[in-house]
Amino acid sequence: MLTVDFSRFPLAPGDRVLDLGCGAGRHAFECYRRGAQVVALDQNAEEIREVAKWFAAMKEAGEAPEGATATAMEGDALALPFPDESFDVVIISEVMEHIPDDKGVLAEMVRVLKPGGRIAVTVPRYGPEKVCWALSDAYHEVEGGHIRIYRADELVGKIREAGLKPYGSHHAHALHSPYWWLKCAFGVDNDKALPVRAYHKLLVWDIMKKPFATRLAEQALNPLIGKSFVVYATKPHLPRLAETDGVAAQ
């Protein structure tokens, strides 16, 4: 289940991609399939080991085109182990709401992104997330849990302040909002409640079968109750100073 819409976020074969806070690796796997040179980074060592196994399995199965590469590694989002301007693309999906220094993370992403490069940021949407917080303290008051809820204009403002130029946004996963409301209402660790089990089966069926009716319903509902808010931005090229330098040298 992808949150980033690659029809709005173009990816070319050979692009060097950083999936920051990759988690289970869903976006990293898609970028690998599209022929990118992918680095999946997360601070969770167990998840990184699983992502590395899946990368190896994908290569063995021939799922990635020739020239594509994939690396999974542990790392700190606030101190990325890469030189400046290392990546054409950076993806950070459902991560920034966990990190106290979100401006520091944005600064690191901008540092490692090449001029003209593209970035995709996704976070839980304000309205649906606010409902989850109201229904359950356990939903967010856990170690490593959500520490803030972004309003759309707040997130876009921080992206601009970091030196990026937003060019598009949308909402995603409307069908998942009611599931999380049910989880919060019946207990986030209570997977046995009948409404939770029934809705989970619906979501699994939808993900596996992708029926036209639910795709159409989610598309219609995304602007209203989409679980995630997605922003796309570019890193501007710096003004060329060659002509100015030439005049000064004469």
Side-chain angles (χ1 to χ4, degrees):
M1 184 187 71
L2 299 174
T3 307
V4 173
D5 181 352
F6 286 93
S7 69
R8 311 184 196 210
F9 189 66
L11 189 68
D15 275 351
R16 186 162 165 79
V17 178
L18 173 63
D19 185 2
L20 180 56
C22 64
R26 57 201 174 106
H27 288 106
F29 300 149
E30 180 64 20
C31 293
Y32 189 32
R33 291 187 187 98
R34 290 172 177 261
Q37 298 175 6
V38 184
V39 177
L41 183 143
D42 201 286
Q43 66 178 3
N44 187 312
E46 184 177 345
E47 286 196 310
I48 284 298
R49 284 193 291 271
E50 286 300 310
V51 170
K53 290 178 183 177
W54 278 106
F55 278 151
M58 291 172 66
K59 182 177 180 179
E60 181 70 20
E63 289 189 38
E66 186 175 353
T69 61
T71 303
M73 61 185 295
E74 288 183 66
D76 182 353
L78 290 165
L80 296 174
F82 310 111
D84 295 356
E85 303 179 2
S86 299
F87 294 92
D88 303 289
V89 172
V90 177
I91 296 171
I92 184 166
S93 183
E94 312 299 301
V95 173
M96 287 180 56
E97 68 275 10
H98 296 273
I99 301 177
D101 186 8
D102 58 347
K103 290 185 178 181
V105 173
L106 278 168
E108 272 293 88
M109 290 191 289
V110 171
R111 180 184 68 78
V112 301
L113 187 64
K114 297 177 182 179
R118 303 170 303 286
I119 187 168
V121 180
T122 93
V123 298
R125 185 184 186 177
Y126 183 86
E129 185 77 347
K130 197 73 172 177
V131 173
C132 288
W133 282 45
L135 289 172
S136 171
D137 290 337
Y139 171 79
H140 63 97
E141 291 182 357
V142 294
E143 184 178 354
H146 299 184
I147 62 171
R148 70 173 66 82
I149 308 176
Y150 287 101
R151 291 187 181 274
D153 57 353
E154 175 193 4
L155 179 61
V156 172
K158 287 187 175 183
I159 289 172
R160 290 187 189 277
E161 289 173 10
L164 297 166
K165 184 178 180 181
Y167 69 84
S169 66
H170 63 90
H171 300 99
H173 309 319
L175 295 183
H176 288 251
S177 289
Y179 172 72
W180 282 102
W181 297 338
L182 288 170
K183 288 271 288 182
C184 290
F186 286 93
V188 290
D189 295 321
N190 180 12
D191 293 326
K192 295 182 179 180
L194 180 59
V196 174
R197 287 192 290 117
Y199 203 98
H200 183 263
K201 286 183 179 179
L202 171 65
L203 290 180
V204 171
W205 172 78
D206 176 60
I207 291 170
M208 297 299 294
K209 300 296 185 180
K210 296 181 175 63
F212 177 74
T214 56
R215 296 300 89 214
L216 191 64
E218 184 159 75
Q219 186 177 0
L221 289 170
N222 274 338
L224 301 173
I225 60 169
K227 184 73 171 67
S228 295
F229 177 57
V230 188
V231 182
Y232 305 109
T234 59
K235 180 177 177 178
H237 288 275
L238 294 175
R240 295 189 62 125
L241 300 178
E243 292 182 5
T244 303
D245 291 342
V247 171
Q250 291 178 1

